[in-house]
Amino acid sequence: MIMRFSILKRGFSSSNAMSAAINQVTVIGGGLMGSGIAQVAAQAGNTVTICEVNDAALQKAQSRIQSSLERVAKKVYKDKAEDGKKFVSDTMGRVNLSTKVGESVQKADLVVEAIIEKMEVKHKLFKEIDGAAPAHTIFASNTSSLSIKEIASVTKRKDKFGGLHFFNPVPVMKLLEVIKTEDTSEDTYNKFLAWGKAIGKTTVTCKDTPGFVVNRLLVPYMAEACRLLERGDASARDIDTAMKLGAGYPMGPLELADYVGLDTTKYILDGWNKQFPENPLFAPIKIVDKLVAEGKLGVKSGEGFYSYKK
Ligand code: CAA
Ligand code: NAD
């Protein structure tokens, strides 16, 4: 079943910048990243469908997008509250919700996958949508750490497959990493670049290597901060304060790990540890494993290294 945000105005603003080729976007997974990706696509004028596992997850994605759009509106339409309201309702009107994977991709020009960071789960999903999406549809994964080529291997459209790696929070972070595998066609790659530009991101291109550019640098940094804490070298607060005031980072590494999600951080490290067991930077971290086992996943669950309970 595909639901439209019923009380919200439909509409499509042709004046908004967007790629000629990509009008209909399906985002699979409406969590932290998927809801942000859906939001920026809808803001740029795309018609978007978010596909999630159940209605509760869809409602969560919907309210996350609503409050993020309200923050954007407050900033952009400072003295024009009515224009701000219209911006929010017009954007929400371009977002459809679905719990049916096959149905959700039937009109898609582009599918962006943003589900759990586990290869076998991504494989199951891409097998299913490869059979359901039109032949022209291009596929992208927002994976943080997995091989795009390996994710694409279960499909019959390896030339129409690449990586589109966004950053959290998607409406704010300006970067989009575009990953071209040896199978990605020039046409698909150019569509990714054009769409990235249309949704207001600055693109960089990287080969299909573990962590691409940002995470290859950022994840070991976060992991080393967890190890500092585990060894008792400094408190969590002092580690974070040190990197904010001593290195000018907007968040400390432990705050950032909580923000990214400790589950996602753990899946990234576990995957790389399996692939590169000799690299100590990717070794498992007891404190992270313990927090994840306790359901303390960071900001999204209300507790991680810090508590976010109101
Ligand atoms: N939607 C819309 N706007 C948002 C927003 C959201 N979800 N979150 C923040 N904003 C806006 C705010 O409205 C505010 O705008 P103005 O300054 O124009 O008023 C601005 O962003 C700053 O927000 P805040 O004042 O609330 O808070 P802040 O100054 O502490 O900034 C932050 C918040 C942007 C998240 C900043 O702390 C930051 O940049 N942190 C680092 C984030 C980062 O490194 N992300 C990458 C993670 S790694 C990754 O994503 C890849 C992976 O695969 C794991
Ligand atoms: P999340 O846990 O916030 O959201 C994942 C969502 O996917 C959940 O809502 C879940 O219900 C849904 N889901 C799981 N299986 C599904 C399926 N088969 N069909 C539809 N929905 C399904 O995770 P996230 O942080 O949004 O991460 C998603 C992806 O983006 C991961 O690959 C992650 O590595 C990557 N990523 C994360 C970040 C980050 O900072 N968190 C940044 C960039 C990339």
Side-chain angles (χ1 to χ4, degrees), residues 121 131 154 169 176:
V121 188
V154 296
L176 175 64

Side-chain angles (χ1 to χ4, degrees), residues 68 71 75 144 165 167-168 172-173 215 218 250-251 256 260:
S68 178
R71 285 177 87 164
K75 210 162 42 183
S144 299
H165 186 222
F167 296 86
N168 186 22
V172 179
M173 305 308 278
N215 283 347
L218 201 56
M251 281 177 170
L256 186 59
V260 164

Side-chain angles (χ1 to χ4, degrees), residues 233-245:
D233 293 350
S235 69
R237 273 286 165 229
D238 283 352
I239 292 169
D240 283 337
T241 300
M243 292 313 290
K244 283 188 284 190
L245 302 188

Side-chain angles (χ1 to χ4, degrees), residues 33 39 43 64-65 67-72 75 117 142-145 165-173 177 211-212 214-215 218-219 222 249-251 256 259-261 264-265 268:
M33 296 306 291
Q39 178 186 331
Q43 274 180 238
R64 200 182 275 130
I65 296 173
S67 42
S68 178
L69 282 172
E70 283 166 2
R71 285 177 87 164
V72 175
K75 210 162 42 183
E117 187 72 342
N142 180 51
T143 180
S144 299
S145 63
H165 186 222
F166 287 84
F167 296 86
N168 186 22
V170 180
V172 179
M173 305 308 278
E177 288 179 327
F212 318 125
V214 173
N215 283 347
L218 201 56
V219 173
M222 290 193 289
Y249 285 28
M251 281 177 170
L256 186 59
Y259 197 66
V260 164
T264 300
T265 306
I268 296 171

Side-chain angles (χ1 to χ4, degrees), residues 11 15 17 53 65 87 90 93 104 133 167 174 188 194 198 213 217 269-270 274 288 298:
S15 61
V53 290
I65 296 173
F87 158 79
D90 283 356
S104 75
F167 296 86
K174 295 186 176 71
T188 302
V213 177
L217 300 172
L269 284 169
D270 287 352
K274 210 168 153 193
V288 174

